[in-house]
């Protein structure tokens, strides 16, 4: 995976985890493991933790609404972490070093805890822990890795400024929805204008379209709410299936995102209409951020 470069030095390299606070952690944990298909691993301090690839964990759930929700972004090294911290502070974004205990809970060596303009908590981290064991889920959903996130944004202009300071670039727009790249893929982060902040969805890549369809049938058979899909985004060409678990937790199966590579181009503008969000015709009726009918 290639990192986005700032000058000659790479800064952020990946979206590495989600820590999410829910009302009923046990119910959500059963959904994540038994229905969605992530591998449960040993948690700590009351958290339920899960793997989706060779990382020690990519999703954690807890009932701690004060400190249990944040997005982990891997930074190249401590020098890059210090440089980013200086940039953010200079532009009015609060940032502080994580304590040893906060790093332990995040399974990282060092971290800078920051907030975007909407109040979304972002953990800028170095050396997130990897697992020496093979990824072995309880249900074969075809998941191969944690892909990326959708974030709700209440201050879109300032949130875009925040991510640009980290080195992210806008690849395309659908209305005011911004798709942000940090490596060769079309996007890893999507910012959705919203009336509230917080995680919109966490997306996990599966092997192919076959797994998207198989998981769609599985969700229908088990009476799990499908928020949108199967569908395909017009901008990224990514095939997706958004499903909703307890407490409004939206997780996504995705496959086939376009690669941008080194082919520089300006961001394209798509209109905010149903075919821009899904050119297969699926629509989201209950999640306004995923709908063109706002």
């Amino acid at each position: 995976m290639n990192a986005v470069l700032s000058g000659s030095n790479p800064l952020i390299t990946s979206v590495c985890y989600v820590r999410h606070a829910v009302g009923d952690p046990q119910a959500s944990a059963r959904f994540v493991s038994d229905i969605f298909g992530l591998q449960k691993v040993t948690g700590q301090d009351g958290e339920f933790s899960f793997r989706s690839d060779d990382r020690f964990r990519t999703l954690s759930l807890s009932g701690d609404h004060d400190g249990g929700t944040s997005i982990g972004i891997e930074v190249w090294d401590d020098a890059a972490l210090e440089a980013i911290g200086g940039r953010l502070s200079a532009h009015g974004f609060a940032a502080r070093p994580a304590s040893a205990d906060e790093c332990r809970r995040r399974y990282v060596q060092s971290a800078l805890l920051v907030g975007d303009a909407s109040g979304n908590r972002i953990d800028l981290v170095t050396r997130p822990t990897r697992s020496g064991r093979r990824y072995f889920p309880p249900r074969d959903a075809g998941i191969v890795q944690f892909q990326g996130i959708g974030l709700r944004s209440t201050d879109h202009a300032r949130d875009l400024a925040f991510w640009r300071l980290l080195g992210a670039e806008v690849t395309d727009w659908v209305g005011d929805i911004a798709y942000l790249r940090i490596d060769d893929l079309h996007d890893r982060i999507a910012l959705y204008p919203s009336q509230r902040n917080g995680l919109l969805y966490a997306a996990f890549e599966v092997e192919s379209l076959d797994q998207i369809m198989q998981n769609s049938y599985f969700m229908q058979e088990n009476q799990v709410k499908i928020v949108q899909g199967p569908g395909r985004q017009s901008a990224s060409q990514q095939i997706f299936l958004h499903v909703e678990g307890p407490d409004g937790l939206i997780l996504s199966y995705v496959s086939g995102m376009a690669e941008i590579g080194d082919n520089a181009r300006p961001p394209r503008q798509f209109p905010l209409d149903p075919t821009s969000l899904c050119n297969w015709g699926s629509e989201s009726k209950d999640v306004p951020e995923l709908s063109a009918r706002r």
Side-chain angles (χ1 to χ4, degrees), residues 164-177:
R164 284 168 169 153
L165 288 170
L166 301 188
E169 299 175 352
V170 177
T171 309
D172 285 319
W173 301 89
V174 173
D176 287 329
I177 299 169

Side-chain angles (χ1 to χ4, degrees), residues 50-91:
F50 305 88
R51 293 178 62 196
S52 57
D53 45 55
D54 69 337
R55 285 168 280 200
F56 183 76
R57 66 100 166 84
T58 49
L59 176 65
S60 294
L61 303 172
S62 78
D64 179 9
H65 287 268
D66 291 329
T69 294
S70 60
I71 308 300
I73 304 294
E74 185 176 4
V75 175
W76 188 261
D77 57 18
D78 285 326
L81 195 65
E82 183 176 355
I84 290 175
R87 285 185 183 185
L88 293 174
S89 297
H91 287 81

Side-chain angles (χ1 to χ4, degrees), residues 87-110:
R87 285 185 183 185
L88 293 174
S89 297
H91 287 81
F93 292 101
R96 67 171 179 84
S99 67
D101 184 63
E102 289 169 328
C103 289
R104 177 188 62 82
R105 293 189 65 181
R106 289 161 174 77
Y107 304 96
V108 300
Q109 293 300 306
S110 59

Side-chain angles (χ1 to χ4, degrees), residues 13 28 30 171 195 206 217:
T13 68
S28 293
R30 286 193 296 270
T171 309
Q195 297 300 309
V206 295
Y217 302 143

Side-chain angles (χ1 to χ4, degrees), residues 101-205:
D101 184 63
E102 289 169 328
C103 289
R104 177 188 62 82
R105 293 189 65 181
R106 289 161 174 77
Y107 304 96
V108 300
Q109 293 300 306
S110 59
L112 195 65
L113 307 184
V114 303
D116 66 9
S118 295
N120 296 311
R121 297 173 180 173
I122 313 298
D123 303 340
L124 303 174
V125 306
T126 66
R127 295 163 58 190
T129 302
R130 301 276 171 166
S131 177
R133 296 183 177 181
R134 182 172 67 91
Y135 168 57
F136 192 76
R139 183 179 81 81
D140 186 8
I143 295 170
V144 295
Q145 69 167 336
F146 179 38
Q147 172 83 321
I149 56 167
L151 278 181
R152 293 182 171 97
S153 171
T154 61
D155 190 341
H156 209 240
R158 286 280 287 161
D159 285 342
L160 278 174
F162 171 88
W163 286 102
R164 284 168 169 153
L165 288 170
L166 301 188
E169 299 175 352
V170 177
T171 309
D172 285 319
W173 301 89
V174 173
D176 287 329
I177 299 169
Y179 297 100
L180 305 176
R181 62 173 291 211
I182 60 174
D183 57 20
D184 286 346
L185 288 184
H186 179 274
D187 66 269
R188 295 283 187 178
I189 301 147
L191 288 183
Y192 292 82
S194 180
Q195 297 300 309
R196 60 192 177 105
N197 65 2
L199 177 72
L200 179 58
Y201 60 77
F204 296 83
E205 184 183 0

